[in-house]
Amino acid sequence: MIKFNLDQTVEIKNHYIEQGYVVIQKAIPLDKIDSFLDAYEKIKHNPFFIYFSQSIQRCVRVELTQQGYIKESMENASRLAFFPEFSKRMQDCIYDPCVSNVLNTISGYSKHISWQNMFFDKSTGTIEHQDSWYLDTNPPGKLIGAWFSLEDIQENCGSFFVCPKSHKLEVVNRKDYPTHQAFIQKIMSISSDNLLEKKPMYLNKGDLLLWHPFLVHGAFQCQDDSLSRKSFTSHFYPYGCKAKETKRGKLLSIYWQDHDRPKKTFNPQIFTSYRLSDYLYNLMIYALFIKTEMKLTSQTFSRRRESYNKS
């Protein structure tokens, strides 16, 4: 695996353009990662910790595996204002100046907007996909995905993977493939027809992976339950670009994005597009959790690989 230093700007951009992804080594300060992990250990046993899970698309209470890992991924974990130390330490990592510097190198824009983020304690075995079907710019192609490794990623942990150069193939859009099932079936067809390589990303703690919104990527199924895969993902797009709004069901009302009035973060080069305050967002999460517990919510799609292996 080729890794670059932050100062290799030409090589970073060229690799991203040609391969559809790029890895930056030692991008995130380790002390910031350790501060987040300390905050995480303090909250994961809290029975009142409720969050929205990206992989299964519903609000859940923390469920730990036998090994003590949180089972389901957290979407917009940086917004859990009822747990300020946890969310702030996550923000310290994903809005770090190193992140905005490499985004600038790739896009040529000096400022970017963070659309969403996720925290994974263990791999959820994400089915291969293109991000552009879910979220992108308008016109599409300027969104940049980012994966932050919070530990040394081990083989058999269900590592993230990319399919090099797949961003140059067909882009699957919602107009032609309006349902998630149809979208995944088309991606799988593209993958098999083009014999796409699934390149595992065995990153080291502090490394940063960035990828194009058309790139086919996902995560392998975990083969060793004793292994975690602590990591963040986030998605950014250049300030000034229009966001392509997509709908993925009623639960997506939790976003309440306002892309025309982005809010500042501690990093003057990174903004967020959240309309609601983080406290109101947190209240909405609890309301949706209660609604789910009362079985008043409709069925939503899952991104777990196992859900599609069974179908």
Side-chain angles (χ1 to χ4, degrees), residues 169-215:
L169 301 174
E170 178 182 354
V171 180
V172 185
N173 60 64
R174 279 181 175 265
K175 181 179 179 181
D176 297 329
Y177 301 90
T179 69
H180 195 255
Q181 187 69 37
F183 163 61
I184 294 300
Q185 288 176 348
K186 180 59 177 177
I187 290 291
M188 301 297 278
S189 175
I190 291 173
S191 180
S192 60
D193 290 347
N194 293 276
L195 301 177
L196 293 184
E197 172 196 6
K198 296 179 183 177
K199 188 177 182 66
M201 295 286 101
Y202 298 136
L203 304 189
N204 295 119
K205 184 176 179 178
D207 289 352
L208 176 65
L209 165 71
L210 300 109
W211 68 91
H212 193 280
F214 301 163
L215 189 78

mmCIF file of all heavy atoms in Angstrom, residues 169-215:
data_model
loop_
_atom_site.group_PDB
_atom_site.id
_atom_site.type_symbol
_atom_site.label_atom_id
_atom_site.label_comp_id
_atom_site.label_asym_id
_atom_site.label_seq_id
_atom_site.Cartn_x
_atom_site.Cartn_y
_atom_site.Cartn_z
ATOM 1 N N LEU A 169 -15.632 4.132 -13.779
ATOM 2 C CA LEU A 169 -16.670 3.300 -14.390
ATOM 3 C C LEU A 169 -18.032 3.985 -14.284
ATOM 4 O O LEU A 169 -18.131 5.164 -13.941
ATOM 5 C CB LEU A 169 -16.693 1.932 -13.703
ATOM 6 C CG LEU A 169 -15.387 1.131 -13.753
ATOM 7 C CD1 LEU A 169 -15.503 -0.129 -12.915
ATOM 8 C CD2 LEU A 169 -15.023 0.781 -15.206
ATOM 9 N N GLU A 170 -19.076 3.247 -14.531
ATOM 10 C CA GLU A 170 -20.439 3.790 -14.499
ATOM 11 C C GLU A 170 -20.805 4.296 -13.111
ATOM 12 O O GLU A 170 -20.508 3.662 -12.095
ATOM 13 C CB GLU A 170 -21.430 2.698 -14.920
ATOM 14 C CG GLU A 170 -22.890 3.119 -14.891
ATOM 15 C CD GLU A 170 -23.829 2.003 -15.262
ATOM 16 O OE1 GLU A 170 -23.343 0.912 -15.653
ATOM 17 O OE2 GLU A 170 -25.044 2.200 -15.169
ATOM 18 N N VAL A 171 -21.457 5.452 -13.081
ATOM 19 C CA VAL A 171 -21.970 5.997 -11.823
ATOM 20 C C VAL A 171 -23.441 5.609 -11.706
ATOM 21 O O VAL A 171 -24.246 5.914 -12.593
ATOM 22 C CB VAL A 171 -21.823 7.529 -11.766
ATOM 23 C CG1 VAL A 171 -22.374 8.065 -10.440
ATOM 24 C CG2 VAL A 171 -20.360 7.927 -11.932
ATOM 25 N N VAL A 172 -23.797 4.944 -10.624
ATOM 26 C CA VAL A 172 -25.169 4.474 -10.431
ATOM 27 C C VAL A 172 -25.975 5.577 -9.762
ATOM 28 O O VAL A 172 -25.661 5.990 -8.642
ATOM 29 C CB VAL A 172 -25.196 3.188 -9.587
ATOM 30 C CG1 VAL A 172 -26.619 2.645 -9.501
ATOM 31 C CG2 VAL A 172 -24.258 2.145 -10.175
ATOM 32 N N ASN A 173 -27.011 6.057 -10.431
ATOM 33 C CA ASN A 173 -27.782 7.179 -9.891
ATOM 34 C C ASN A 173 -29.170 6.744 -9.442
ATOM 35 O O ASN A 173 -29.666 5.682 -9.804
ATOM 36 C CB ASN A 173 -27.887 8.305 -10.927
ATOM 37 C CG ASN A 173 -28.586 7.852 -12.205
ATOM 38 O OD1 ASN A 173 -29.762 7.502 -12.185
ATOM 39 N ND2 ASN A 173 -27.849 7.843 -13.321
ATOM 40 N N ARG A 174 -29.784 7.605 -8.664
ATOM 41 C CA ARG A 174 -31.090 7.289 -8.088
ATOM 42 C C ARG A 174 -32.219 7.308 -9.117
ATOM 43 O O ARG A 174 -33.233 6.633 -8.936
ATOM 44 C CB ARG A 174 -31.418 8.281 -6.962
ATOM 45 C CG ARG A 174 -30.763 7.935 -5.653
ATOM 46 C CD ARG A 174 -31.156 8.932 -4.583
ATOM 47 N NE ARG A 174 -30.620 8.512 -3.305
ATOM 48 C CZ ARG A 174 -31.297 7.804 -2.416
ATOM 49 N NH1 ARG A 174 -32.522 7.413 -2.677
ATOM 50 N NH2 ARG A 174 -30.750 7.466 -1.275
ATOM 51 N N LYS A 175 -32.056 8.094 -10.165
ATOM 52 C CA LYS A 175 -33.108 8.162 -11.167
ATOM 53 C C LYS A 175 -33.328 6.805 -11.820
ATOM 54 O O LYS A 175 -34.471 6.371 -12.015
ATOM 55 C CB LYS A 175 -32.742 9.207 -12.221
ATOM 56 C CG LYS A 175 -33.804 9.369 -13.307
ATOM 57 C CD LYS A 175 -33.395 10.433 -14.318
ATOM 58 C CE LYS A 175 -34.443 10.571 -15.411
ATOM 59 N NZ LYS A 175 -34.053 11.594 -16.431
ATOM 60 N N ASP A 176 -32.236 6.137 -12.154
ATOM 61 C CA ASP A 176 -32.338 4.828 -12.813
ATOM 62 C C ASP A 176 -32.479 3.673 -11.830
ATOM 63 O O ASP A 176 -33.024 2.621 -12.176
ATOM 64 C CB ASP A 176 -31.109 4.598 -13.693
ATOM 65 C CG ASP A 176 -30.994 5.604 -14.824
ATOM 66 O OD1 ASP A 176 -32.050 6.066 -15.303
ATOM 67 O OD2 ASP A 176 -29.858 5.958 -15.208
ATOM 68 N N TYR A 177 -31.978 3.861 -10.609
ATOM 69 C CA TYR A 177 -32.005 2.800 -9.588
ATOM 70 C C TYR A 177 -32.519 3.407 -8.277
ATOM 71 O O TYR A 177 -31.749 3.708 -7.372
ATOM 72 C CB TYR A 177 -30.610 2.190 -9.422
ATOM 73 C CG TYR A 177 -30.083 1.592 -10.705
ATOM 74 C CD1 TYR A 177 -29.334 2.359 -11.590
ATOM 75 C CD2 TYR A 177 -30.376 0.275 -11.048
ATOM 76 C CE1 TYR A 177 -28.875 1.827 -12.791
ATOM 77 C CE2 TYR A 177 -29.926 -0.262 -12.244
ATOM 78 C CZ TYR A 177 -29.178 0.517 -13.107
ATOM 79 O OH TYR A 177 -28.730 -0.010 -14.292
ATOM 80 N N PRO A 178 -33.840 3.620 -8.188
ATOM 81 C CA PRO A 178 -34.408 4.383 -7.066
ATOM 82 C C PRO A 178 -34.417 3.671 -5.724
ATOM 83 O O PRO A 178 -34.471 4.333 -4.687
ATOM 84 C CB PRO A 178 -35.840 4.669 -7.538
ATOM 85 C CG PRO A 178 -36.151 3.560 -8.494
ATOM 86 C CD PRO A 178 -34.856 3.253 -9.186
ATOM 87 N N THR A 179 -34.366 2.336 -5.710
ATOM 88 C CA THR A 179 -34.395 1.623 -4.438
ATOM 89 C C THR A 179 -32.993 1.175 -4.051
ATOM 90 O O THR A 179 -32.135 0.961 -4.914
ATOM 91 C CB THR A 179 -35.318 0.388 -4.499
ATOM 92 O OG1 THR A 179 -34.732 -0.600 -5.362
ATOM 93 C CG2 THR A 179 -36.701 0.778 -5.002
ATOM 94 N N HIS A 180 -32.784 1.003 -2.748
ATOM 95 C CA HIS A 180 -31.466 0.590 -2.283
ATOM 96 C C HIS A 180 -31.110 -0.800 -2.797
ATOM 97 O O HIS A 180 -29.962 -1.072 -3.163
ATOM 98 C CB HIS A 180 -31.421 0.624 -0.749
ATOM 99 C CG HIS A 180 -30.045 0.564 -0.191
ATOM 100 N ND1 HIS A 180 -29.517 -0.556 0.398
ATOM 101 C CD2 HIS A 180 -29.061 1.499 -0.157
ATOM 102 C CE1 HIS A 180 -28.285 -0.310 0.792
ATOM 103 N NE2 HIS A 180 -27.973 0.922 0.467
ATOM 104 N N GLN A 181 -32.081 -1.684 -2.852
ATOM 105 C CA GLN A 181 -31.834 -3.043 -3.335
ATOM 106 C C GLN A 181 -31.388 -3.020 -4.797
ATOM 107 O O GLN A 181 -30.430 -3.712 -5.180
ATOM 108 C CB GLN A 181 -33.094 -3.894 -3.181
ATOM 109 C CG GLN A 181 -32.897 -5.370 -3.508
ATOM 110 C CD GLN A 181 -32.034 -6.089 -2.489
ATOM 111 O OE1 GLN A 181 -32.108 -5.806 -1.300
ATOM 112 N NE2 GLN A 181 -31.203 -7.012 -2.942
ATOM 113 N N ALA A 182 -32.047 -2.218 -5.615
ATOM 114 C CA ALA A 182 -31.684 -2.113 -7.029
ATOM 115 C C ALA A 182 -30.294 -1.506 -7.186
ATOM 116 O O ALA A 182 -29.507 -1.932 -8.043
ATOM 117 C CB ALA A 182 -32.713 -1.280 -7.772
ATOM 118 N N PHE A 183 -29.998 -0.523 -6.352
ATOM 119 C CA PHE A 183 -28.681 0.124 -6.372
ATOM 120 C C PHE A 183 -27.583 -0.882 -6.057
ATOM 121 O O PHE A 183 -26.578 -0.991 -6.788
ATOM 122 C CB PHE A 183 -28.687 1.272 -5.361
ATOM 123 C CG PHE A 183 -27.337 1.777 -4.957
ATOM 124 C CD1 PHE A 183 -26.466 2.325 -5.886
ATOM 125 C CD2 PHE A 183 -26.943 1.719 -3.626
ATOM 126 C CE1 PHE A 183 -25.215 2.805 -5.497
ATOM 127 C CE2 PHE A 183 -25.701 2.191 -3.233
ATOM 128 C CZ PHE A 183 -24.838 2.738 -4.169
ATOM 129 N N ILE A 184 -27.748 -1.649 -4.992
ATOM 130 C CA ILE A 184 -26.723 -2.622 -4.592
ATOM 131 C C ILE A 184 -26.563 -3.707 -5.651
ATOM 132 O O ILE A 184 -25.442 -4.124 -5.981
ATOM 133 C CB ILE A 184 -27.072 -3.236 -3.224
ATOM 134 C CG1 ILE A 184 -26.994 -2.162 -2.129
ATOM 135 C CG2 ILE A 184 -26.137 -4.398 -2.901
ATOM 136 C CD1 ILE A 184 -25.619 -1.519 -1.975
ATOM 137 N N GLN A 185 -27.675 -4.176 -6.210
ATOM 138 C CA GLN A 185 -27.595 -5.195 -7.261
ATOM 139 C C GLN A 185 -26.797 -4.683 -8.456
ATOM 140 O O GLN A 185 -26.003 -5.420 -9.054
ATOM 141 C CB GLN A 185 -29.001 -5.609 -7.687
ATOM 142 C CG GLN A 185 -29.728 -6.457 -6.658
ATOM 143 C CD GLN A 185 -31.152 -6.779 -7.071
ATOM 144 O OE1 GLN A 185 -31.691 -6.202 -8.021
ATOM 145 N NE2 GLN A 185 -31.780 -7.704 -6.348
ATOM 146 N N LYS A 186 -26.995 -3.415 -8.810
ATOM 147 C CA LYS A 186 -26.256 -2.837 -9.937
ATOM 148 C C LYS A 186 -24.769 -2.710 -9.602
ATOM 149 O O LYS A 186 -23.904 -3.009 -10.446
ATOM 150 C CB LYS A 186 -26.837 -1.472 -10.281
ATOM 151 C CG LYS A 186 -26.137 -0.784 -11.458
ATOM 152 C CD LYS A 186 -26.211 -1.612 -12.738
ATOM 153 C CE LYS A 186 -25.582 -0.882 -13.907
ATOM 154 N NZ LYS A 186 -25.576 -1.702 -15.149
ATOM 155 N N ILE A 187 -24.452 -2.286 -8.384
ATOM 156 C CA ILE A 187 -23.043 -2.175 -7.965
ATOM 157 C C ILE A 187 -22.378 -3.547 -8.010
ATOM 158 O O ILE A 187 -21.240 -3.694 -8.491
ATOM 159 C CB ILE A 187 -22.939 -1.585 -6.546
ATOM 160 C CG1 ILE A 187 -23.343 -0.110 -6.551
ATOM 161 C CG2 ILE A 187 -21.526 -1.749 -6.002
ATOM 162 C CD1 ILE A 187 -22.376 0.805 -7.257
ATOM 163 N N MET A 188 -23.072 -4.571 -7.528
ATOM 164 C CA MET A 188 -22.513 -5.918 -7.550
ATOM 165 C C MET A 188 -22.282 -6.389 -8.983
ATOM 166 O O MET A 188 -21.302 -7.073 -9.281
ATOM 167 C CB MET A 188 -23.444 -6.883 -6.818
ATOM 168 C CG MET A 188 -23.691 -6.524 -5.362
ATOM 169 S SD MET A 188 -22.213 -6.571 -4.343
ATOM 170 C CE MET A 188 -22.105 -8.316 -3.993
ATOM 171 N N SER A 189 -23.173 -6.007 -9.886
ATOM 172 C CA SER A 189 -23.021 -6.361 -11.291
ATOM 173 C C SER A 189 -21.805 -5.671 -11.894
ATOM 174 O O SER A 189 -21.012 -6.288 -12.621
ATOM 175 C CB SER A 189 -24.287 -5.971 -12.060
ATOM 176 O OG SER A 189 -24.113 -6.201 -13.446
ATOM 177 N N ILE A 190 -21.625 -4.394 -11.586
ATOM 178 C CA ILE A 190 -20.452 -3.655 -12.069
ATOM 179 C C ILE A 190 -19.178 -4.286 -11.530
ATOM 180 O O ILE A 190 -18.187 -4.447 -12.245
ATOM 181 C CB ILE A 190 -20.543 -2.171 -11.644
ATOM 182 C CG1 ILE A 190 -21.676 -1.472 -12.392
ATOM 183 C CG2 ILE A 190 -19.215 -1.453 -11.885
ATOM 184 C CD1 ILE A 190 -21.946 -0.063 -11.921
ATOM 185 N N SER A 191 -19.221 -4.658 -10.268
ATOM 186 C CA SER A 191 -18.049 -5.259 -9.628
ATOM 187 C C SER A 191 -17.646 -6.568 -10.295
ATOM 188 O O SER A 191 -16.471 -6.799 -10.589
ATOM 189 C CB SER A 191 -18.337 -5.489 -8.148
ATOM 190 O OG SER A 191 -17.227 -6.068 -7.502
ATOM 191 N N SER A 192 -18.626 -7.436 -10.563
ATOM 192 C CA SER A 192 -18.317 -8.733 -11.164
ATOM 193 C C SER A 192 -17.957 -8.611 -12.639
ATOM 194 O O SER A 192 -17.031 -9.267 -13.124
ATOM 195 C CB SER A 192 -19.499 -9.691 -10.989
ATOM 196 O OG SER A 192 -20.662 -9.177 -11.611
ATOM 197 N N ASP A 193 -18.649 -7.731 -13.364
ATOM 198 C CA ASP A 193 -18.392 -7.571 -14.799
ATOM 199 C C ASP A 193 -16.995 -7.015 -15.062
ATOM 200 O O ASP A 193 -16.369 -7.339 -16.091
ATOM 201 C CB ASP A 193 -19.432 -6.648 -15.439
ATOM 202 C CG ASP A 193 -20.805 -7.271 -15.505
ATOM 203 O OD1 ASP A 193 -20.920 -8.491 -15.289
ATOM 204 O OD2 ASP A 193 -21.783 -6.536 -15.767
ATOM 205 N N ASN A 194 -16.512 -6.179 -14.147
ATOM 206 C CA ASN A 194 -15.208 -5.539 -14.328
ATOM 207 C C ASN A 194 -14.104 -6.179 -13.483
ATOM 208 O O ASN A 194 -12.987 -5.675 -13.447
ATOM 209 C CB ASN A 194 -15.305 -4.050 -13.989
ATOM 210 C CG ASN A 194 -16.159 -3.277 -14.972
ATOM 211 O OD1 ASN A 194 -15.695 -2.868 -16.023
ATOM 212 N ND2 ASN A 194 -17.424 -3.080 -14.611
ATOM 213 N N LEU A 195 -14.448 -7.307 -12.823
ATOM 214 C CA LEU A 195 -13.476 -8.028 -11.994
ATOM 215 C C LEU A 195 -12.745 -7.081 -11.047
ATOM 216 O O LEU A 195 -11.512 -7.070 -10.963
ATOM 217 C CB LEU A 195 -12.468 -8.763 -12.885
ATOM 218 C CG LEU A 195 -13.045 -9.790 -13.875
ATOM 219 C CD1 LEU A 195 -11.936 -10.382 -14.734
ATOM 220 C CD2 LEU A 195 -13.791 -10.886 -13.132
ATOM 221 N N LEU A 196 -13.514 -6.263 -10.339
ATOM 222 C CA LEU A 196 -12.917 -5.249 -9.478
ATOM 223 C C LEU A 196 -12.139 -5.880 -8.328
ATOM 224 O O LEU A 196 -12.608 -6.825 -7.673
ATOM 225 C CB LEU A 196 -14.003 -4.327 -8.910
ATOM 226 C CG LEU A 196 -14.733 -3.432 -9.921
ATOM 227 C CD1 LEU A 196 -15.709 -2.520 -9.191
ATOM 228 C CD2 LEU A 196 -13.760 -2.607 -10.755
ATOM 229 N N GLU A 197 -10.960 -5.352 -8.081
ATOM 230 C CA GLU A 197 -10.134 -5.764 -6.945
ATOM 231 C C GLU A 197 -10.640 -5.077 -5.682
ATOM 232 O O GLU A 197 -10.876 -3.865 -5.673
ATOM 233 C CB GLU A 197 -8.681 -5.361 -7.184
ATOM 234 C CG GLU A 197 -7.779 -5.584 -5.971
ATOM 235 C CD GLU A 197 -6.458 -4.859 -6.053
ATOM 236 O OE1 GLU A 197 -6.251 -4.079 -7.009
ATOM 237 O OE2 GLU A 197 -5.621 -5.056 -5.151
ATOM 238 N N LYS A 198 -10.832 -5.842 -4.624
ATOM 239 C CA LYS A 198 -11.183 -5.269 -3.323
ATOM 240 C C LYS A 198 -9.899 -5.163 -2.510
ATOM 241 O O LYS A 198 -9.424 -6.146 -1.934
ATOM 242 C CB LYS A 198 -12.208 -6.151 -2.611
ATOM 243 C CG LYS A 198 -13.549 -6.237 -3.330
ATOM 244 C CD LYS A 198 -14.509 -7.153 -2.584
ATOM 245 C CE LYS A 198 -15.819 -7.309 -3.321
ATOM 246 N NZ LYS A 198 -16.734 -8.253 -2.623
ATOM 247 N N LYS A 199 -9.334 -3.982 -2.472
ATOM 248 C CA LYS A 199 -8.028 -3.758 -1.846
ATOM 249 C C LYS A 199 -8.213 -3.402 -0.372
ATOM 250 O O LYS A 199 -8.744 -2.332 -0.058
ATOM 251 C CB LYS A 199 -7.296 -2.632 -2.569
ATOM 252 C CG LYS A 199 -5.856 -2.425 -2.138
ATOM 253 C CD LYS A 199 -5.202 -1.327 -2.968
ATOM 254 C CE LYS A 199 -3.744 -1.136 -2.589
ATOM 255 N NZ LYS A 199 -2.937 -2.325 -2.933
ATOM 256 N N PRO A 200 -7.804 -4.278 0.561
ATOM 257 C CA PRO A 200 -7.985 -3.988 1.980
ATOM 258 C C PRO A 200 -7.099 -2.836 2.435
ATOM 259 O O PRO A 200 -5.956 -2.694 1.984
ATOM 260 C CB PRO A 200 -7.590 -5.295 2.670
ATOM 261 C CG PRO A 200 -6.672 -5.962 1.707
ATOM 262 C CD PRO A 200 -7.145 -5.578 0.336
ATOM 263 N N MET A 201 -7.631 -2.025 3.323
ATOM 264 C CA MET A 201 -6.908 -0.872 3.844
ATOM 265 C C MET A 201 -6.424 -1.158 5.268
ATOM 266 O O MET A 201 -7.108 -0.860 6.249
ATOM 267 C CB MET A 201 -7.813 0.365 3.833
ATOM 268 C CG MET A 201 -8.224 0.832 2.445
ATOM 269 S SD MET A 201 -6.883 1.657 1.534
ATOM 270 C CE MET A 201 -6.353 0.335 0.445
ATOM 271 N N TYR A 202 -5.245 -1.777 5.363
ATOM 272 C CA TYR A 202 -4.657 -2.076 6.671
ATOM 273 C C TYR A 202 -3.839 -0.869 7.125
ATOM 274 O O TYR A 202 -2.611 -0.852 7.046
ATOM 275 C CB TYR A 202 -3.789 -3.325 6.594
ATOM 276 C CG TYR A 202 -4.539 -4.578 6.206
ATOM 277 C CD1 TYR A 202 -4.010 -5.465 5.268
ATOM 278 C CD2 TYR A 202 -5.773 -4.882 6.775
ATOM 279 C CE1 TYR A 202 -4.693 -6.624 4.911
ATOM 280 C CE2 TYR A 202 -6.468 -6.024 6.420
ATOM 281 C CZ TYR A 202 -5.926 -6.895 5.490
ATOM 282 O OH TYR A 202 -6.602 -8.034 5.130
ATOM 283 N N LEU A 203 -4.554 0.149 7.566
ATOM 284 C CA LEU A 203 -3.902 1.388 7.965
ATOM 285 C C LEU A 203 -3.352 1.286 9.382
ATOM 286 O O LEU A 203 -3.750 0.422 10.168
ATOM 287 C CB LEU A 203 -4.892 2.551 7.883
ATOM 288 C CG LEU A 203 -5.582 2.798 6.533
ATOM 289 C CD1 LEU A 203 -6.345 4.111 6.570
ATOM 290 C CD2 LEU A 203 -4.595 2.776 5.386
ATOM 291 N N ASN A 204 -2.453 2.197 9.691
ATOM 292 C CA ASN A 204 -1.931 2.320 11.047
ATOM 293 C C ASN A 204 -2.653 3.435 11.777
ATOM 294 O O ASN A 204 -3.277 4.312 11.161
ATOM 295 C CB ASN A 204 -0.418 2.598 11.023
ATOM 296 C CG ASN A 204 0.378 1.452 10.440
ATOM 297 O OD1 ASN A 204 1.069 1.600 9.432
ATOM 298 N ND2 ASN A 204 0.288 0.288 11.063
ATOM 299 N N LYS A 205 -2.582 3.399 13.068
ATOM 300 C CA LYS A 205 -3.220 4.416 13.900
ATOM 301 C C LYS A 205 -2.762 5.811 13.472
ATOM 302 O O LYS A 205 -1.563 6.076 13.358
ATOM 303 C CB LYS A 205 -2.854 4.169 15.364
ATOM 304 C CG LYS A 205 -3.533 5.096 16.363
ATOM 305 C CD LYS A 205 -3.161 4.688 17.778
ATOM 306 C CE LYS A 205 -3.794 5.582 18.824
ATOM 307 N NZ LYS A 205 -3.455 5.155 20.210
ATOM 308 N N GLY A 206 -3.720 6.686 13.201
ATOM 309 C CA GLY A 206 -3.415 8.043 12.780
ATOM 310 C C GLY A 206 -3.409 8.250 11.283
ATOM 311 O O GLY A 206 -3.367 9.387 10.802
ATOM 312 N N ASP A 207 -3.466 7.157 10.501
ATOM 313 C CA ASP A 207 -3.503 7.279 9.044
ATOM 314 C C ASP A 207 -4.885 7.743 8.584
ATOM 315 O O ASP A 207 -5.902 7.520 9.265
ATOM 316 C CB ASP A 207 -3.178 5.944 8.371
ATOM 317 C CG ASP A 207 -1.721 5.551 8.506
ATOM 318 O OD1 ASP A 207 -0.913 6.384 8.983
ATOM 319 O OD2 ASP A 207 -1.387 4.402 8.144
ATOM 320 N N LEU A 208 -4.910 8.357 7.407
ATOM 321 C CA LEU A 208 -6.143 8.910 6.853
ATOM 322 C C LEU A 208 -6.304 8.464 5.408
ATOM 323 O O LEU A 208 -5.396 8.624 4.592
ATOM 324 C CB LEU A 208 -6.095 10.442 6.927
ATOM 325 C CG LEU A 208 -7.263 11.225 6.320
ATOM 326 C CD1 LEU A 208 -8.564 10.943 7.083
ATOM 327 C CD2 LEU A 208 -6.956 12.718 6.330
ATOM 328 N N LEU A 209 -7.462 7.897 5.089
ATOM 329 C CA LEU A 209 -7.804 7.492 3.726
ATOM 330 C C LEU A 209 -8.861 8.443 3.184
ATOM 331 O O LEU A 209 -9.839 8.740 3.864
ATOM 332 C CB LEU A 209 -8.353 6.057 3.742
ATOM 333 C CG LEU A 209 -9.098 5.568 2.502
ATOM 334 C CD1 LEU A 209 -8.144 5.367 1.336
ATOM 335 C CD2 LEU A 209 -9.856 4.275 2.799
ATOM 336 N N LEU A 210 -8.661 8.910 1.958
ATOM 337 C CA LEU A 210 -9.652 9.757 1.302
ATOM 338 C C LEU A 210 -10.022 9.139 -0.034
ATOM 339 O O LEU A 210 -9.163 8.570 -0.713
ATOM 340 C CB LEU A 210 -9.115 11.176 1.112
ATOM 341 C CG LEU A 210 -8.741 11.859 2.431
ATOM 342 C CD1 LEU A 210 -7.238 11.983 2.526
ATOM 343 C CD2 LEU A 210 -9.403 13.212 2.573
ATOM 344 N N TRP A 211 -11.306 9.261 -0.439
ATOM 345 C CA TRP A 211 -11.738 8.628 -1.683
ATOM 346 C C TRP A 211 -12.794 9.455 -2.411
ATOM 347 O O TRP A 211 -13.478 10.303 -1.826
ATOM 348 C CB TRP A 211 -12.267 7.214 -1.416
ATOM 349 C CG TRP A 211 -13.548 7.137 -0.654
ATOM 350 C CD1 TRP A 211 -14.815 7.118 -1.165
ATOM 351 C CD2 TRP A 211 -13.700 7.091 0.780
ATOM 352 N NE1 TRP A 211 -15.745 7.052 -0.146
ATOM 353 C CE2 TRP A 211 -15.085 7.025 1.047
ATOM 354 C CE3 TRP A 211 -12.797 7.081 1.849
ATOM 355 C CZ2 TRP A 211 -15.585 6.971 2.348
ATOM 356 C CZ3 TRP A 211 -13.291 7.017 3.142
ATOM 357 C CH2 TRP A 211 -14.671 6.971 3.372
ATOM 358 N N HIS A 212 -12.910 9.167 -3.701
ATOM 359 C CA HIS A 212 -13.815 9.852 -4.617
ATOM 360 C C HIS A 212 -15.239 9.315 -4.422
ATOM 361 O O HIS A 212 -15.420 8.127 -4.131
ATOM 362 C CB HIS A 212 -13.336 9.583 -6.053
ATOM 363 C CG HIS A 212 -13.959 10.449 -7.087
ATOM 364 N ND1 HIS A 212 -15.227 10.215 -7.595
ATOM 365 C CD2 HIS A 212 -13.492 11.554 -7.736
ATOM 366 C CE1 HIS A 212 -15.516 11.137 -8.501
ATOM 367 N NE2 HIS A 212 -14.483 11.959 -8.617
ATOM 368 N N PRO A 213 -16.284 10.146 -4.610
ATOM 369 C CA PRO A 213 -17.660 9.679 -4.378
ATOM 370 C C PRO A 213 -18.145 8.619 -5.359
ATOM 371 O O PRO A 213 -19.137 7.938 -5.090
ATOM 372 C CB PRO A 213 -18.493 10.961 -4.502
ATOM 373 C CG PRO A 213 -17.667 11.865 -5.350
ATOM 374 C CD PRO A 213 -16.256 11.577 -4.947
ATOM 375 N N PHE A 214 -17.452 8.461 -6.509
ATOM 376 C CA PHE A 214 -17.840 7.427 -7.474
ATOM 377 C C PHE A 214 -17.106 6.112 -7.226
ATOM 378 O O PHE A 214 -17.419 5.104 -7.866
ATOM 379 C CB PHE A 214 -17.539 7.881 -8.910
ATOM 380 C CG PHE A 214 -18.223 9.147 -9.342
ATOM 381 C CD1 PHE A 214 -17.771 9.847 -10.458
ATOM 382 C CD2 PHE A 214 -19.312 9.663 -8.640
ATOM 383 C CE1 PHE A 214 -18.393 11.020 -10.866
ATOM 384 C CE2 PHE A 214 -19.933 10.842 -9.045
ATOM 385 C CZ PHE A 214 -19.473 11.524 -10.164
ATOM 386 N N LEU A 215 -16.128 6.119 -6.323
ATOM 387 C CA LEU A 215 -15.318 4.916 -6.089
ATOM 388 C C LEU A 215 -16.151 3.834 -5.394
ATOM 389 O O LEU A 215 -16.833 4.101 -4.401
ATOM 390 C CB LEU A 215 -14.116 5.257 -5.215
ATOM 391 C CG LEU A 215 -13.066 4.145 -5.068
ATOM 392 C CD1 LEU A 215 -12.187 4.081 -6.307
ATOM 393 C CD2 LEU A 215 -12.212 4.347 -3.828
#
